[in-house]
Amino acid sequence: MDSIKENCGIAGIFRNDRAAEILFLSLFSLQHRGQESAGIIAGKDNYKFYGGKGLVSEVFTPEIIKNLVGNYGIGHVRYSTTGSTSPKNIQPFLIEYRGEIFAIAHNGNITNSRLLRKKLESQGSIFQTTMDSEIILHLFVRSRGSSIREKLANALKNLKGAFSILFFSKDVIVAARDPNGFRPLCIGRLGNSFIVASETCAFDLVGAKYLRDVEPGEMVILSDSGIESYIWAENTKKAHCIFEFIYFARPDSYIFTKSVYLTRKNLGKNLAKESNLTGDIVIPVPDSGSIAAIGFSQEKKIPFELGVIRNHYVGRTFIQPVQKMREKGVRIKLNPVVSVVKNREIVVIEDSIVRGTTCRNRIKSLRDAGAKRIFLGITCPPIIFPCYYGIDFPSKDELIANRMTIAEIREFLGLDGLHYLSLEGMLDAMMLPARDFCTACFTGKYPVKPDFAFNKFQWEKKNGCDS
Ligand code: SF4
């Protein structure tokens, strides 16, 4: 994987005296979903918020956690896909309205945000941030309804695109998902408390039990009355982001009710079944290619070796904004094991190729370490189209598979062989029906058409696709 920005991670807990501590641990385990900033709001009779730029462990000290007094709250880790990296954009985002506090933590990308913002501004709304998430709170305070449930449902009905959200108000937390369920959101139980998080790995760390997912188009209300479910969307059609399984989610998580580990292993097995890649050893690009490489190795009966070692003390490559820095960063982060790869024919397993520059450096470093022949297996089809649902792929022109044929990519990367898993092979690896997934970045078939305030002609011209 080279230089894809991830989306965000969210967590919430209701009625637990250790609310801030549990949220801290939950966000810590969701750190892979966003490393730019972290924030927690906790409430009891009043509310306390703290957020900052950096990793969860850098933002929160034991003293800060202790001061976040409360028995319910929500938290967020962020990698911006919309809005700038300004500290103002740290979530949860909160507003005070008629003496009450409302806060929101959002994972996803609202595709009609520009139009909504323009409309709200023309009606007098004053925005404090550049985030699409702020729109939800503006819509909420303007919405009709006599309860939080009604007001929030009416607000959400204006939105298009991807949104898994946690909403915080006095003595209530609401978890809701868009009608397509693009991003994951799971509910768990911790003693007498309920916990909600993007992925179940957050539950494991605090000892909570996974109960179920918040369904697409569902709203789950946690209050002193217990847990209440409400379907707010009139039409739902699942379009889970398949990239969550390929790359984003942690392998020890369940998302969309299925094990990420087992799905990733299936991807490797299917790659082995449909490709003629072979060699003396199979090596993963750690960590994202590791589990698929095990599946590939077992299916092909080729020994699995760790031919590249990752330095875990280097930030993710895409944190570095400049291409040159990113390339240097890759060499610092991953180092080939000469004793494993020298004079060997190797099959390298990687989850995806985006720009191709990072991948090219990795192949070169394996060649420099003495690998005789290098074959590369990718556990998804070529990425040709941008994502509008919360994953920050580079522009269409920067995507290598959009500019080059597979033969040209193989040559550019300096490979002896290259195989991308087919769309069918990828979907077959999922333990859910193919119709439940969004695959737009591979196919150009967008489940929800983005509304960028440009006309249909411009949209089709920009993407060269149907939608
Ligand atoms: Fe996921 Fe790709 Fe769909 Fe974006 S376009 S939601 S990355 S599958």
Side-chain angles (χ1 to χ4, degrees), residues 109-127:
N109 195 16
I110 297 164
T111 55
N112 61 338
S113 61
R114 290 189 204 184
L115 289 182
L116 286 174
R117 189 174 172 125
K118 225 170 149 188
K119 194 170 155 198
L120 286 162
E121 281 175 338
S122 72
Q123 291 167 351
S125 292
I126 296 168
F127 280 79

Side-chain angles (χ1 to χ4, degrees), residues 182-183 241-243 248 386-389 391 393 438-441:
F182 281 103
R183 302 278 147 232
C241 171
I242 206 161
F243 234 91
F248 295 123
C387 173
Y388 296 105
Y389 311 125
I391 307 299
F393 285 133
C438 171
T439 56
C441 45

